[in-house]
Amino acid sequence: MKYDLQIKPELEMAKRMWPDSVQTLESEQLESLVKKYRFSVKRGDLQILNRRWYVTHSGLVGLAYRKRCGGVHTKAVPEFCEPAKSRWTFKAVVYKSRTCKGFVGYGDADPSNVSSLVRGAEMRVAETRAVNRALRKAYGIGLCSVEELGSFADPPQSSRESKKLPPQPANGNYGGPKLRDRLCQIIRQHQLDPVLVKAYATDFCGTKTLREASREQVENFVAHLSDWAEKDRDALLCQLNSYLPAKGSAA
């Protein structure tokens, strides 16, 4: 396979950093990401985990700068924040230009869904996740961001510990039968539209289809959906209705 001068150093760096993960498929994916978004492994824009590419917060901010982003506005969502329990939810709006209506992203964080390395900084994590989701929506980024993963920075488990855990599928089947059943239960209990919930879940996970989402992403979504439905069903319905088909372009 031939790579131009821009791709070759990025590929070489990726293979040095992740020699066991960057094979032919991953190399082709990297080439596409570098050409389309001008992401750079050297700058820390991308990371690979379990042979899947993820974009970083700095990579998304860099893309927004190159695209002359009009601005980013963030604010906490008080009804979903419990400071005493380190539970935070943020809303971010990205404006691609002065006339842009805005692209909205939500992010939540609490001790149960963040890495042990950032415990105590849940508010910052929630804000970063919201910004990342809004930026990915604004610029059509199909990759999930590493900051949205709850345990990507945790030390790997020992082989002894890993044997105690049942195998976890990386994607597909909505994260497994039990997780799918829990999601269906929430939909039935709160009388939610499953089509809109699926659209919201895909957006929340930052993937093109729900099958591409990791189990951890789906777990986070199910917990988020359940919590929101219990606290303020009307607000949740308003969010779900934003995914109804509409004429014209929607932010």
Side-chain angles (χ1 to χ4, degrees):
M1 182 178 297
K2 295 182 179 180
Y3 296 88
D4 59 31
L5 294 178
Q6 184 184 22
I7 301 296
K8 187 175 181 180
E10 295 294 338
L11 180 60
E12 291 175 347
M13 175 62 73
K15 287 185 174 180
R16 284 200 298 269
M17 294 179 66
W18 307 289
D20 297 327
S21 299
V22 181
Q23 305 299 327
T24 302
L25 177 60
E26 293 73 29
S27 297
E28 293 175 349
Q29 292 170 340
L30 176 59
E31 179 181 11
S32 176
L33 292 169
V34 172
K35 287 183 176 180
K36 187 173 183 179
Y37 302 111
R38 291 170 57 193
F39 286 145
S40 170
V41 174
K42 291 184 176 182
R43 290 196 304 263
D45 296 346
L46 299 167
Q47 288 194 22
I48 193 166
L49 302 169
N50 297 322
R51 298 189 68 175
R52 294 184 65 180
W53 287 108
Y54 292 86
V55 64
T56 65
H57 178 66
S58 61
L60 289 169
V61 171
L63 174 64
Y65 176 80
R66 292 191 296 276
K67 296 287 188 179
R68 300 180 182 272
C69 177
V72 179
H73 176 74
T74 66
K75 67 176 182 179
V77 184
E79 58 267 35
F80 302 117
C81 295
E82 297 181 71
K85 296 181 180 180
S86 297
R87 300 185 67 179
W88 299 91
T89 298
F90 269 77
K91 174 183 178 180
V93 184
V94 169
Y95 300 95
K96 295 174 68 174
S97 67
R98 291 182 179 180
T99 59
C100 178
K101 294 181 179 180
F103 293 81
V104 178
Y106 289 89
D108 68 297
D110 61 60
S112 71
N113 68 5
V114 301
S115 165
S116 61
L117 299 181
V118 292
R119 296 279 162 75
E122 287 83 3
M123 183 172 69
R124 177 63 175 170
V125 173
E127 184 178 30
T128 299
R129 287 174 173 174
V131 171
N132 285 5
R133 285 166 182 154
L135 285 171
R136 292 193 292 102
K137 182 186 290 186
Y139 295 105
I141 309 297
L143 299 180
C144 181
S145 68
V146 290
E147 288 81 9
E148 293 170 59
L149 302 181
S151 58
F152 75 94
D154 281 336
Q157 297 174 327
S158 66
S159 58
R160 192 174 190 179
E161 290 176 329
S162 63
K163 289 181 180 178
K164 297 179 182 179
L165 298 174
Q168 303 294 331
N171 49 44
N173 296 325
Y174 296 84
K178 292 184 179 180
L179 201 53
R180 182 178 62 240
D181 292 344
R182 172 63 178 146
L183 182 58
C184 291
Q185 179 185 5
I186 295 170
I187 291 173
R188 289 195 301 270
Q189 179 182 349
H190 298 282
Q191 298 181 345
L192 307 177
D193 187 321
V195 176
L196 299 181
V197 169
K198 184 177 181 181
Y200 180 35
T202 303
D203 189 25
F204 184 94
C205 295
T207 54
K208 292 182 179 179
T209 65
L210 201 51
R211 284 185 173 276
E212 296 176 8
S214 67
R215 181 182 180 85
E216 185 174 31
Q217 288 174 307
V218 179
E219 285 176 342
N220 288 342
F221 173 75
V222 171
H224 169 76
L225 185 72
S226 176
D227 186 57
W228 198 350
E230 291 289 347
K231 288 185 175 180
D232 194 339
R233 180 176 177 274
D234 289 340
L236 174 58
L237 290 177
C238 182
Q239 171 68 15
L240 292 177
N241 287 338
S242 69
Y243 293 93
L244 286 170
K247 295 182 180 180
S249 59

